Structure formats: structure tokens, C-alpha cells
Amino acid sequence: MRLIALPAFQDNYIWALQTPDDRTIFVDPGQAGPVFEAAAQGMQPAGVLLTHHHDDHIGGVAELRERWPRLRVIAPVDERIALECERVSEGNRVELSGFDFTVMEVPGHTRSHIAYYGHDHLFSGDMLFSLGCGRMFEGTPAQMLASLRRMAALPPQTLVCCGHEYTLANAVFARHVDPTNAALQRRQQEASDMRSSSRPTVPAILASELECNPFLRTADTAIVAAIAARLGRAPTDQVEVFAELRRWKDGFRA
């Protein structure tokens, strides 16, 4: 399968996963224009997957439906997604046009956020980013950490397809927390090279994220030590490590 990141807005990505016969799944189309352009290049829309209710992830769907009235749209159970769509929840399988995804409920960024895993791809929306994670708008630290752990437990070759181009900014924070991590230094340089030639830094390989992403490493000695230094005491558990790490990131300025 061919995976393409379609830029939208300032830093969003609409993901397009295409089969050899051009059938294509589009993930989180906040704008319709990039999908129309992809379709003009031969990508035949087979369906749309939505991860959460924020407008920059669902805003283009109504316009897509005007062109393709029978287009299947898959979404989490959330009344704030006021669209005609198929609602899915934990453990459901999404099978359409040769695609097969498993639904994971991953609350934290929003209460109803879901991710889709299939064909070695994880469409993580705004929950797991390369070298970072989403803000907790509606969830708790315990929920967010549990959701990230579930995604971190997927096979290491999984491609993490997140909703935004945040890698370089996340790298600066991650290096601040974990300055001696050689794998992280290499990933930052790789991402910098990619952006200098206007290439997406994602998808990220999960194995790399497990080495580099501080939000997936709350039990790691280096991360725990950084949080202990910030708190002035040892953290009580990994939830506190995560909560303080997220709080630190929220206020961080390079």
C-alpha cells in the first residue's frame, strides 16, 4: 500500500492510504481541497476515518459528501461529530474495500478519541505525535498515559501516522528533558533534514519513538531523573511522571 501525507491548514496532515488499484482511505480530512486534488490524481475515495471531533480533523467531510454522497465515514461515538456516519468503539473492526482496521479507544486529548490500527499503520490523530503527544483537553493524566501505553505496545515496525507536523518542536523539548539520548539526537537531525527539503517527518516508526519519545518512556531512568529534578523529589509513580512532563511541555518555550 502507498501512504501519502496531504498537507492541510498550517501544519495538519490528512492521511491517504492507497491500494495498488487506487482505492484510498482518507484520515481526518479537515479540509476537502487536498482530498479533491488527490482524487484528481487518481486516488479513488473508499472511505473516511475520523479520530476525534475537532474541526481541523472533520471540517472537510460535509463537502466531500456533496461530491460523493455514498462515501462511507467512520467516526467515534460523540454527538459533537454532527455528521451522518458509522460509529465505532473499542475493538470494532473497520472493513471496507480491502482495508481492515481495528479501533482503539484512546481517551486523553479528547474523551472520545479513537485510533485505527491496520496494515502496520497506526492513525493516531492528536494522541501520539512523533517525539510528543497531544494536549489533555478532556482527559486525565492516568487516561492519557494508559492510552499511550496501549499504542506503544503495538508491533515495533508500526508506522505512526499522526495529525500534525510537530516533530521539530517536539524534538527541542525532548532534548531539553533528555539531552544525552543519542537516538533522539539522530532523530532530531533526520527530522531537520526532512523539513529542510519540505518533506514530512512522519510517519514515524514506533521502534524509534520507543527510544526517543519522552512521553512513551515514563519509566526510563533519564526521564524519571529529569522529573525528580523539576519536582525537587522523587515522583510517586509513572502517572505523576507523565503529568509533570505534560505540564512542563505545555509551558515550555525554546
Side-chain angles (χ1 to χ4, degrees):
M1 292 187 178
R2 178 189 181 202
L3 179 71
I4 300 174
L6 306 176
F9 300 111
Q10 182 176 349
D11 53 30
N12 282 70
Y13 287 128
I14 300 167
W15 289 101
L17 187 62
Q18 182 183 27
T19 64
D21 62 358
D22 296 331
R23 289 168 298 160
T24 307
I25 290 287
F26 293 96
V27 183
D28 285 350
Q31 290 180 307
V35 178
F36 291 150
E37 292 174 13
Q41 299 299 316
M43 294 186 182
Q44 302 173 14
V48 167
L49 306 181
L50 303 178
T51 63
H52 64 294
H53 74 281
H54 288 161
D55 192 60
D56 63 322
H57 291 254
I58 70 171
V61 175
E63 195 173 347
L64 297 180
R65 272 274 178 72
E66 290 178 5
R67 179 173 296 191
W68 299 294
R70 299 179 64 182
L71 182 66
R72 289 181 65 184
V73 177
I74 315 298
V77 179
D78 191 322
E79 68 281 356
R80 294 170 295 185
I81 301 177
L83 299 163
E84 181 184 345
C85 52
E86 302 171 41
R87 306 290 176 164
V88 293
S89 55
E90 174 66 33
N92 289 163
R93 289 179 64 184
V94 177
E95 299 176 274
L96 66 165
S97 300
F99 295 95
D100 188 355
F101 296 97
T102 299
V103 176
M104 303 172 66
E105 291 185 355
V106 286
H109 179 65
T110 68
R111 59 178 167 78
S112 63
H113 201 297
I114 60 176
Y116 300 87
Y117 173 69
H119 311 284
D120 283 332
H121 294 75
L122 172 68
F123 294 105
S124 60
D126 284 358
M127 273 295 295
L128 175 60
F129 294 119
S130 180
L131 305 183
C133 71
R135 289 179 179 266
M136 290 184 296
F137 288 126
E138 298 175 2
T140 67
Q143 284 179 316
M144 189 85 169
L145 180 59
S147 294
L148 292 173
R149 283 175 170 171
R150 293 193 63 208
M151 291 184 281
L154 293 170
Q157 72 272 16
T158 298
L159 297 178
V160 179
C161 308
C162 53
H164 292 267
E165 182 55 72
Y166 288 165
T167 307
L168 286 183
N170 287 341
V172 174
F173 174 72
R175 287 286 305 277
H176 190 75
V177 174
D178 190 15
T180 63
N181 185 329
L184 173 56
Q185 293 170 22
R186 290 192 297 271
R187 174 61 174 145
Q188 183 181 33
Q189 184 59 55
E190 173 190 63
S192 180
D193 292 344
M194 288 175 168
R195 294 310 294 157
S196 67
S197 57
S198 300
R199 289 180 292 155
T201 63
V202 287
I205 300 171
L206 182 58
S208 173
E209 291 299 304
L210 294 172
E211 292 184 310
C212 302
N213 189 330
F215 293 96
L216 299 184
R217 300 169 51 237
T218 52
D220 188 278
T221 301
I223 306 303
V224 174
I227 295 301
R230 183 170 169 83
L231 292 173
R233 58 171 175 79
T236 56
D237 54 23
Q238 289 189 52
V239 173
E240 186 175 32
V241 172
F242 174 80
E244 185 59 30
L245 193 63
R246 185 62 258 180
R247 189 178 301 112
W248 189 0
K249 177 66 163 64
D250 288 345
F252 181 74
R253 298 294 181 269

